[in-house]
Amino acid sequence: MDIAKYSTYTLQDFLDDDDFIRFVINPSKTDMIFWHSVTVMYPAQQEAVDEASKIILAYRKQDVFTNQANQQKVWENIEASIKSQTVAKQKIFRLNTFMRVAAMLLLISSVAIMLWVLKHNSKTEFATAFGEVRTITLPDNSVVILNGNSKLSYVNNWDNKPREVWISGEGFFNVKHLNKNPHYIRPTERFIVHCNDVNIEVLGTSFNVRTRHDKTNVGLISGRIRLEYLEKASSQNQRLIMKSGDYIEYAQKHLVAQKTLAIPEKLTEWTNHQLSFNNATLAQISEVMTDDYGYHIEIADPALANLKIEGEISVSNVDELLETISTTLSVKITHSDKNITITEN
Amino acid sequence: MSESIVSFNEDNTAIWLAFKAGDWEAYKKLYNDYFKMLNNYGYKFTKDVNIIEDAVHDLFIKLWTNRATLGTPVSVKNYLYKSLRNAIFRKMQSQSRFVDLADEPDYSFSVELSFDHQIIANEEERELHLKLKTVIKNLPARQQEIIYLRFYEGLGYDAIADIMEINTNSAYKLLYKAFNNLQAALKTTKLVIFLSLYSCLGANIHTK
């Protein structure tokens, strides 16, 4: 410390001197010796030194607010805040990271699922009205002729897996043959028709399927098909190979009839809007008219229902059919709109 | 109570670094070391203890939360003072119904000089004290604050400028103004002091 400069110091200079202030506030031994020597060397400065220190000391005599009583309480609050903050912060942080990943995964997976669903699970469905016969071309160019009041559906994507369709009602299938090597059948070459409890697996063939009221009949016009059906007796799936002309009837989970038709093509006459029956009872005929054409048929006496028309009928419309019935069975048929009442003559 | 709670030659750098590294005990020590000082300083701005405690609370929460990104201040105390000052201003501003649009908030700063007969030995000193009390009371807040930081906390201009968020030149000017006001008011007392000193000196000589 330069002692000489203090020889000319004024009161204000002392008040503004860092070293002097430190000496007054918090004197060290060196400070005390130094400032004593200042006053010894420059006695004229004694007054200023004293006054400056008095002012500072007087000023420093002031009320002190330590708030010591609350020191612990405030600390506890800080501690509590930090703890809750840490927990909250970690939670948010984890949530953020987690959420980011989760959101991304969710987005990716939902898009993937959506695309997959769109591609794989979206279905095409056809339904025909009563009396309507519609020809449908499937994605593999197989053709299905759908009878009235029938439904056909399939999952849109047929890539790398068997062609599968679901049917209720009646349909005539003309399945395109994809298989080239009969010893090796690829899954994609198979064609499966699902109806009720019967699955019809084919490679390429034409057949008729009618499945209504828990009853299914399948008639094979050409080719070979493998039938798989649930047999009630064994409650196991049974398999049956059908060849051209084979015809089966399946009802109430039971194979009811199995025969070979002389002219299986007759099964498909409906595709030409022909109503054809062979040795059919009135009940069977009215069932077809109800199911395929949407008529409400009332047979007054249950005994009438068992009346059978011997031989074949093949007519092109309902009026003709009714005409045939009334003449051959000698029953009275009243016909208004879609309501038909059959009474004894 | 008039005992000084201000510490000098403080070197808490080691503790500060430990605290920054996440040492809870070091953090707690900082709190306990500075709590009283901070309350004392805060009390100059407001007599509302809740505001001070809230500001101290917030200040320490912020310290802990941001510990990793904080620098190492030259003086921990100055850093805390500056932070507390800002925290209190924010609290007071949010409490007042009117939003203060001025950059520098219009604040009050008051020091309560003790008036204790036991401590103040003689009449002259008592008069000086009274005078000082009156003078200080009438100084603008900023002049009062700079005097407090200078004479009570013993801070240099750089530290004062930092805490009060003004530049060092402004700090010089501000203290100069405060001194002028102080001296003008003390002029009359000066003579009294001189006389008393003289008599003291005379007494000393006499006893020798």
Side-chain angles (χ1 to χ4, degrees):
Chain A
M1 276 179 279
D2 174 19
I3 202 163
K5 70 176 180 187
Y6 294 111
S7 62
T8 55
Y9 258 39
T10 63
L11 171 67
Q12 191 171 326
D13 290 333
F14 281 114
L15 287 175
D16 205 14
D17 186 86
D18 285 347
D19 293 321
F20 180 75
I21 292 170
R22 194 192 58 240
F23 154 66
V24 176
I25 295 177
N26 191 35
S28 67
K29 251 204 170 109
T30 349
D31 284 335
M32 285 164 84
I33 295 163
F34 176 81
W35 287 100
H36 179 72
S37 51
V38 169
T39 46
V40 167
M41 277 178 80
Y42 313 110
Q45 292 295 65
Q46 180 81 51
E47 185 204 330
V49 166
D50 284 346
E51 195 181 351
S53 55
K54 275 198 180 190
I55 287 172
I56 292 171
L57 288 174
Y59 176 82
R60 288 176 57 76
K61 283 194 187 100
Q62 51 177 261
D63 291 346
V64 173
F65 174 76
T66 63
N67 201 17
Q68 190 166 8
N70 289 337
Q71 186 163 348
Q72 188 58 28
K73 185 198 83 188
V74 174
W75 170 252
E76 279 160 13
N77 287 341
I78 291 170
E79 219 172 6
S81 294
I82 287 176
K83 265 177 195 158
S84 68
Q85 193 189 43
T86 314
V87 170
K89 218 183 161 184
Q90 271 179 352
K91 235 189 227 163
I92 289 163
F93 181 72
R94 274 190 198 155
L95 218 64
N96 275 342
T97 324
F98 175 76
M99 293 258 285
R100 229 178 276 165
V101 174
M104 252 155 70
L105 285 176
L106 195 71
L107 189 75
I108 292 165
S109 60
S110 57
V111 166
I113 287 168
M114 214 171 72
L115 287 173
W116 193 87
V117 163
L118 274 177
K119 205 179 174 194
H120 295 253
N121 271 14
S122 68
K123 272 186 164 181
T124 301
E125 224 176 84
F126 298 96
T128 51
F130 287 112
E132 183 195 1
V133 174
R134 199 200 296 185
T135 304
I136 294 155
T137 307
L138 299 176
D140 65 336
N141 286 323
S142 293
V143 173
V144 182
I145 301 169
L146 213 52
N147 205 347
N149 184 31
S150 300
K151 269 186 198 163
L152 180 85
S153 64
Y154 57 86
V155 171
N156 282 341
N157 179 51
W158 280 2
D159 297 338
N160 303 319
K161 55 183 188 183
R163 299 163 281 172
E164 283 180 283
V165 298
W166 282 257
I167 190 170
S168 74
E170 187 166 22
F172 172 67
F173 288 80
N174 205 329
V175 176
K176 199 168 170 124
H177 193 92
L178 298 178
N179 176 245
K180 290 180 180 79
N181 177 4
H183 301 292
Y184 175 62
I185 301 166
R186 277 180 287 207
T188 48
E189 293 167 351
R190 292 154 71 197
F191 188 103
I192 302 165
V193 181
H194 300 277
C195 41
N196 248 344
D197 293 312
V198 180
N199 295 331
I200 304 156
E201 196 181 317
V202 306
L203 290 171
T205 178
S206 57
F207 57 94
N208 192 77
V209 181
R210 184 180 174 90
T211 174
R212 289 197 199 274
H213 314 293
D214 224 2
K215 283 190 287 188
T216 303
N217 61 60
V218 181
L220 186 58
I221 286 81
S222 69
R224 264 164 91 103
I225 59 179
R226 186 169 67 190
L227 209 67
E228 195 178 79
Y229 59 92
L230 182 74
E231 179 58 56
K232 186 176 63 180
S234 61
S235 48
Q236 273 180 345
N237 277 359
Q238 300 287 316
R239 281 178 174 184
L240 179 72
I241 302 292
M242 288 173 71
K243 293 176 202 144
S244 297
D246 283 356
Y247 174 84
I248 60 105
E249 274 180 35
Y250 174 89
Q252 278 103 38
K253 307 192 193 309
H254 179 63
L255 196 64
V256 181
Q258 186 177 2
K259 55 190 173 186
T260 306
L261 301 174
I263 313 162
E265 286 79 10
K266 286 198 183 223
L267 287 173
T268 65
E269 283 192 339
W270 60 264
T271 58
N272 301 315
H273 297 271
Q274 288 284 314
L275 282 154
S276 40
F277 299 96
N278 189 21
N279 295 331
T281 61
L282 197 52
Q284 288 168 329
I285 294 168
S286 62
E287 190 186 299
V288 170
M289 290 178 71
T290 306
D291 290 340
D292 298 0
Y293 291 84
Y295 284 92
H296 299 283
I297 299 170
E298 237 177 88
I299 300 171
D301 186 348
L304 287 178
N306 292 325
L307 290 176
K308 195 185 267 182
I309 299 175
E310 303 285 346
E312 276 181 34
I313 310 169
S314 186
V315 293
S316 55
N317 57 57
V318 171
D319 287 339
E320 256 181 80
L321 178 66
L322 293 178
E323 183 71 37
T324 311
I325 294 168
S326 61
T327 49
T328 46
L329 295 178
S330 68
V331 289
K332 193 184 166 197
I333 298 173
T334 40
H335 174 202
S336 70
D337 201 20
K338 289 258 171 184
N339 295 309
I340 294 167
T341 313
I342 302 173
T343 49
E344 217 168 336
N345 208 349
Chain B
M1 206 178 359
S2 63
E3 116 208 50
S4 173
I5 51 152
V6 175
S7 69
F8 296 93
N9 307 320
E10 54 124 20
D11 185 17
N12 271 329
T13 309
I15 291 162
W16 181 265
L17 290 175
F19 142 72
K20 262 176 68 61
D23 184 338
W24 183 259
E25 286 308 311
Y27 174 63
K28 194 172 179 178
K29 183 170 165 46
L30 284 178
Y31 173 83
N32 285 322
D33 281 358
Y34 293 105
F35 179 82
K36 295 186 186 73
M37 276 184 250
L38 289 171
N39 272 274
N40 188 42
Y41 181 48
Y43 200 68
K44 307 291 180 281
F45 295 100
T46 176
K47 303 290 173 263
D48 185 339
V49 180
N50 284 327
I51 289 182
I52 302 167
E53 287 179 357
D54 278 0
V56 169
H57 175 272
D58 289 3
L59 160 59
F60 273 88
I61 296 294
K62 247 189 179 171
L63 278 186
W64 183 257
T65 311
N66 302 329
R67 65 185 183 281
T69 53
L70 291 175
T72 303
V74 179
S75 157
V76 174
K77 186 180 111 176
N78 294 359
Y79 176 80
L80 294 179
Y81 269 42
K82 183 182 176 178
S83 305
L84 181 80
R85 193 178 186 268
N86 283 327
I88 285 177
F89 284 166
R90 270 198 303 276
K91 291 267 169 222
M92 285 169 54
Q93 215 158 34
S94 69
Q95 272 202 1
S96 74
R97 295 202 299 126
F98 305 100
V99 178
D100 200 339
L101 294 172
D103 278 347
E104 179 72 27
D106 188 18
Y107 66 98
S108 68
F109 192 93
S110 65
V111 173
E112 210 53 52
L113 294 193
S114 303
F115 199 65
D116 193 332
H117 283 281
Q118 249 121 54
I119 294 166
I120 299 161
N122 58 52
E123 199 61 32
E124 290 76 25
E125 211 173 316
R126 204 177 147 231
E127 202 181 324
L128 169 74
H129 205 87
L130 255 174
K131 200 100 200 169
L132 206 56
K133 194 173 168 154
T134 326
V135 175
I136 298 283
K137 221 174 209 162
N138 291 321
L139 289 178
R142 290 157 61 72
Q143 291 183 24
Q144 283 203 53
E145 189 181 5
I146 202 167
I147 286 174
Y148 172 83
L149 293 174
R150 186 84 174 131
F151 291 154
Y152 194 85
E153 303 288 351
L155 298 175
Y157 283 103
D158 287 339
I160 290 171
D162 183 40
I163 289 172
M164 293 180 72
E165 291 181 326
I166 53 179
N167 61 47
T168 313
N169 271 339
S170 304
Y172 277 117
K173 278 181 204 156
L174 189 60
L175 196 68
Y176 185 76
K177 263 189 220 163
F179 279 153
N180 275 350
N181 288 330
L182 209 60
Q183 266 194 321
L186 289 177
K187 236 167 210 160
T188 44
T189 326
K190 202 176 167 183
L191 188 68
V192 179
I193 292 168
F194 174 74
L195 289 172
S196 77
L197 281 172
Y198 189 76
S199 62
C200 264
L201 210 68
N204 278 343
I205 292 163
H206 186 72
T207 48
K208 274 179 187 174

